[in-house]
Amino acid sequence: MINNQYLVLARKYRPQKFSDLIGQDDIVQILKGAIENNRLAHAYLLSGTRGVGKTTLARLIAKIVNCLARAKINDFDPCGTCENCNSINSSSNIDVVEIDAASKTGVSDVREIIENVNYKAVTALKKVFIIDEVHMLSKAAFNALLKTLEEPPLDVLFVLATTETEKVPVTILSRCQHFGLKRLSLKDISEHLIKISKLEKINLDHECSMMIARSAEGSLRDALSLLDNVFARGNNITKDLVKDVLCIEDFSNILQLFKFICEAEVEKALKSVEKFYFDGCSFELIARDLLNITYQITRIKCSNTIDDTSLTDYELGEYRNFAKFLDMDVLIRLYEFMEKYFSELSNAFDQKKSFEMTVMRLCYIILLPSPFEPEKNKLPRDDLFESGLDNTKKNEKSINEKEGEIEEKLASTSDNKNSNIKDCDYNLDSSEKEKFKKFSELVSIIESQGDLVLAHKLKNNFKLISIKDNEKNKPCELELENFKNEKIKSSQLWELSKMLESATKKRWIVSLSYQKGIETLGEIEMKNHQELISKISKESSIKKILEIIPNSKVTSIEKMEKK
């Protein structure tokens, strides 16, 4: 009977030698040195994301320590033809035990391992226990394994593999040599896919292989599974066929969507999303591409160079064009909001509506003024974004008009910090407000004289009791409560009075009293500033901005002079 069972590419082309292992050169060199110098550890922990070669590397270690011909040929790689190599390849070697910790998580399963450790190897040189997904073991199972893992018999080797190192107890980690396998690069995956395609006698060009490599996210097994799907559609592999199988959109269309977002062209952006939906594209993949576009443009904006060799000349040209006209704060803001909003896609009840809402929010976020500029970021879009110029100017005009209204209200409410006192009433009668106004002017005089420390103390450590601006033939009087018991010498009060006399051309008598003052100038200014924030926060324009940015609020207000 003819066996017509198909073996998937990931199993058919699993590396059988260390030299076949892709993207893990550093780890291979360490193991090579350990084997040549007879310094192999008794336990290894292999960690990394899916499809990077953890189980493959564990089996290669098992083969290299048990290869019967390696000592004769003095080679780093296992021979692949001896009895032990063949039995390990076919998973029939009774001395090389593979355990799936995801299904055997209990302490009883670990006890079975501990009992088998005491028996000598039957056919192999060393007994090897490969525990895959070791982080799935229970706490009791880990504790039962500790002593055996620390001091196993000389002819026993443990190889643990996991995708989640943080779930492995530190007591286990400290007993193993830890190797972190790297995510594979696009270039390595692409070259390997082309190599396998040639072995399968199927033509796969570089552009198609790069599309598959991008979708694999650094996992070679995922890439080979996708390649299997592509091969299932026939031997004539085209770009459109790969896009159809992977459910991905043409990159130029995704760049067009990014352009519409930067233009704040909501209608055009939503039409693009509608097209993606009817083409059956994955919104999660589109979201990932938009994030990558923003990242690449930001990298170019920072250093004008980029290390990603997988980018085509067309992509690099587009990124550089965007980088010329998009400000850094706009790019950072876009990336932060994309990261936040797109992370919600996987749990969305309706992905299309969620994606559309995100696109609409991004279009309006791009119109928000920069925190570094009081005016709206004016992008020179007539060179880059001609189609959206008219609408953009309308939006900028609308925003500038609203900013003008806000500035007028700010100006009418407060010219500077000290003037807040005359505009707010905190249970103060008119005479008391007049006192604080005069006191505030005196503190401003001291600040202008350059004595900022004294001005700060007067503003925050002393409460005003009375202030009298007498006639010319009588000295003016300033009486304060030293409620914080600030250490003040009489000479300092005299110096303060002379400073005021020099600035106001009037004589001053400054005294401290045990009477209770009203409030500190700092407290009055803080209350007035908070009321100002409350008023501004209720303005319709500001309320819209606060609604767009989640969990945002007005924390301070400063008047800025236009240059």
Side-chain angles (χ1 to χ4, degrees):
M1 183 177 178
I2 300 174
N3 185 5
N4 291 323
Q5 292 295 325
Y6 175 69
L7 196 63
V8 295
L9 298 176
R11 292 181 61 189
K12 184 177 180 180
Y13 294 101
R14 183 188 290 271
Q16 300 300 320
K17 296 181 179 180
F18 283 103
S19 54
D20 296 335
L21 204 61
I22 299 170
Q24 312 299 341
D25 297 338
D26 295 340
I27 296 173
V28 169
Q29 287 300 317
I30 294 172
L31 286 172
K32 181 178 180 180
I35 291 167
E36 289 176 348
N37 296 300
N38 196 25
R39 300 183 67 88
L40 271 175
H42 63 268
Y44 288 96
L45 176 66
L46 310 177
S47 64
T49 188
R50 68 190 189 281
V52 294
K54 299 184 297 295
T55 305
T56 298
L57 183 57
R59 291 177 182 173
L60 286 173
I61 293 172
K63 285 167 67 174
I64 198 67
V65 298
N66 287 308
C67 180
L68 300 173
R70 191 187 68 82
K72 297 177 183 178
I73 60 177
N74 193 25
D75 189 14
F76 170 57
D77 281 323
C79 69
T81 57
C82 68
E83 183 182 348
N84 283 346
C85 286
N86 287 330
S87 59
I88 293 172
N89 286 338
S90 60
S91 302
S92 59
N93 193 307
I94 61 174
D95 294 317
V96 177
V97 183
E98 284 195 42
I99 300 163
D100 178 22
S103 57
K104 295 184 178 181
T105 62
V107 68
S108 58
D109 301 307
V110 172
R111 283 179 183 151
E112 187 178 337
I113 297 173
I114 296 170
E115 291 172 1
N116 289 334
V117 162
N118 297 319
Y119 295 103
K120 295 290 183 181
V122 178
T123 60
L125 303 176
K126 271 200 174 191
K127 186 171 268 190
V128 182
F129 291 92
I130 300 173
I131 306 178
D132 205 2
E133 301 299 334
V134 70
H135 65 273
M136 301 291 284
L137 289 178
S138 65
K139 185 177 180 181
F142 274 126
N143 290 335
L145 187 61
L146 280 177
K147 190 62 181 175
T148 305
L149 192 63
E150 184 176 12
E151 296 179 358
L154 292 176
D155 60 345
V156 172
L157 175 66
F158 283 95
V159 184
L160 316 180
T162 179
T163 53
E164 300 180 43
T165 317
E166 66 278 2
K167 293 184 179 180
V168 179
V170 291
T171 49
I172 296 290
L173 288 171
S174 65
R175 287 164 167 81
C176 302
Q177 282 196 14
H178 183 194
F179 290 142
L181 279 72
K182 296 182 292 186
R183 195 184 288 264
L184 274 64
S185 68
L186 293 178
K187 181 181 177 183
D188 288 341
I189 295 176
S190 175
E191 290 176 353
H192 190 66
L193 294 180
I194 293 173
K195 178 182 176 182
I196 288 177
S197 300
K198 289 178 180 177
L199 294 174
E200 293 288 313
K201 295 183 170 58
I202 297 176
N203 184 33
L204 181 73
D205 61 29
H206 177 71
E207 188 175 5
C208 292
S209 68
M210 286 301 299
M211 291 170 65
I212 297 172
R214 280 199 185 98
S215 299
E217 297 181 341
S219 170
L220 188 58
R221 183 174 61 239
D222 287 7
L224 292 173
S225 297
L226 293 173
L227 190 63
D228 256 324
N229 294 340
V230 172
F231 286 173
R233 296 287 294 269
N235 293 343
N236 186 21
I237 309 300
T238 62
K239 181 180 175 182
D240 291 335
L241 174 65
V242 174
K243 286 196 298 181
D244 187 36
V245 172
L246 302 182
C247 294
I248 59 176
E249 186 52 60
D250 193 301
F251 195 69
S252 61
N253 293 335
I254 298 174
L255 272 174
Q256 186 76 9
L257 174 60
F258 181 78
K259 172 184 167 183
F260 290 149
I261 290 173
C262 293
E263 287 179 337
E265 289 282 2
V266 182
E267 290 186 10
K268 292 181 179 179
L270 291 179
K271 286 180 181 177
S272 293
V273 175
E274 195 74 18
K275 182 180 181 301
F276 292 149
Y277 177 72
F278 284 112
D279 289 345
C281 300
S282 167
F283 286 120
E284 292 185 35
L285 291 179
I286 296 171
R288 189 182 65 192
D289 285 338
L290 287 173
L291 270 168
N292 184 57
I293 289 170
T294 311
Y295 164 77
Q296 301 288 15
I297 295 171
T298 309
R299 279 290 304 272
I300 292 174
K301 188 80 176 177
C302 285
S303 60
N304 201 34
T305 57
I306 199 159
D307 298 330
D308 194 345
T309 56
S310 65
L311 297 178
T312 64
D313 292 338
Y314 165 73
E315 291 169 353
L316 270 175
E318 289 294 315
Y319 292 158
R320 293 188 192 282
N321 200 20
F322 277 108
K324 289 178 184 176
F325 303 106
L326 287 171
D327 291 338
M328 181 59 74
D329 62 288
V330 173
L331 290 168
I332 293 172
R333 191 192 313 162
L334 267 179
Y335 191 88
E336 288 176 349
F337 282 102
M338 282 182 183
E339 183 80 20
K340 175 179 174 58
Y341 295 145
F342 287 149
S343 64
E344 302 167 359
L345 269 178
S346 56
N347 297 323
F349 180 75
D350 188 326
Q351 279 200 346
K352 178 176 179 289
K353 291 178 181 177
S354 177
F355 191 83
E356 285 181 341
M357 283 298 299
T358 298
V359 168
M360 286 188 280
R361 284 188 285 188
L362 291 173
C363 286
Y364 283 99
I365 283 168
I366 206 76
L367 294 174
L368 291 177
S370 162
F372 305 108
E373 293 179 325
E375 296 184 1
K376 176 71 186 76
N377 249 323
K378 294 183 177 70
L379 302 179
R381 295 183 176 123
D382 45 346
D383 292 332
L384 181 62
F385 310 123
E386 294 178 1
S387 59
L389 185 59
D390 295 336
N391 289 333
T392 304
K393 287 182 177 178
K394 290 178 184 177
N395 289 328
E396 288 181 352
K397 183 179 178 183
S398 174
I399 287 177
N400 288 332
E401 287 175 355
K402 290 177 181 177
E403 286 179 355
E405 294 174 6
I406 294 169
E407 286 183 4
E408 288 176 6
K409 289 172 182 175
L410 275 171
S412 64
T413 309
S414 171
D415 291 329
N416 52 53
K417 290 183 179 178
N418 292 334
S419 67
N420 290 344
I421 292 168
K422 65 183 180 181
D423 296 315
C424 301
D425 186 5
Y426 286 95
N427 299 319
L428 300 177
D429 57 33
S430 58
S431 62
E432 287 177 335
K433 283 195 288 185
E434 188 64 28
K435 288 179 184 178
F436 274 103
K437 182 181 177 182
K438 290 180 179 179
F439 185 40
S440 175
E441 290 172 355
L442 292 180
V443 174
S444 297
I445 290 172
I446 295 170
E447 285 181 343
S448 65
Q449 296 287 334
D451 199 336
L452 301 180
V453 175
L454 179 58
H456 176 80
K457 288 181 178 180
L458 288 174
K459 191 180 291 185
N460 298 285
N461 297 353
F462 296 91
K463 292 183 178 179
L464 178 64
I465 297 174
S466 66
I467 183 170
K468 295 179 181 178
D469 190 359
N470 295 324
E471 298 175 0
K472 289 184 178 180
N473 58 344
K474 292 184 179 180
C476 303
E477 299 176 13
L478 175 62
E479 188 176 9
L480 304 171
E481 178 198 354
N482 187 5
F483 76 103
K484 284 193 175 181
N485 296 320
E486 185 77 23
K487 291 183 179 180
I488 297 289
K489 297 178 181 179
S490 57
S491 60
Q492 290 176 309
L493 295 177
W494 181 82
E495 289 173 1
L496 174 59
S497 64
K498 298 302 289 182
M499 186 183 298
L500 294 176
E501 181 180 347
S502 174
T504 62
K505 308 304 179 185
K506 296 180 181 180
R507 290 176 57 207
W508 282 88
I509 297 176
V510 182
S511 60
L512 301 180
S513 174
Y514 290 103
Q515 296 183 44
K516 295 294 182 184
I518 308 168
E519 282 183 287
T520 67
L521 189 61
E523 289 171 344
I524 293 289
E525 289 183 358
M526 180 58 70
K527 289 179 180 178
N528 293 351
H529 195 62
Q530 291 299 324
E531 184 182 81
L532 181 60
I533 287 175
S534 178
K535 285 181 179 179
I536 295 299
S537 298
K538 294 175 183 177
E539 295 294 332
S540 59
S541 304
I542 301 298
K543 284 177 72 176
K544 287 181 180 179
I545 295 175
L546 296 177
E547 288 171 2
I548 291 172
I549 306 175
N551 302 321
S552 61
K553 62 180 180 180
V554 179
T555 57
S556 66
I557 299 172
E558 296 288 340
K559 186 177 179 182
M560 301 180 70
E561 295 183 2
K562 289 185 177 180
K563 293 184 180 179

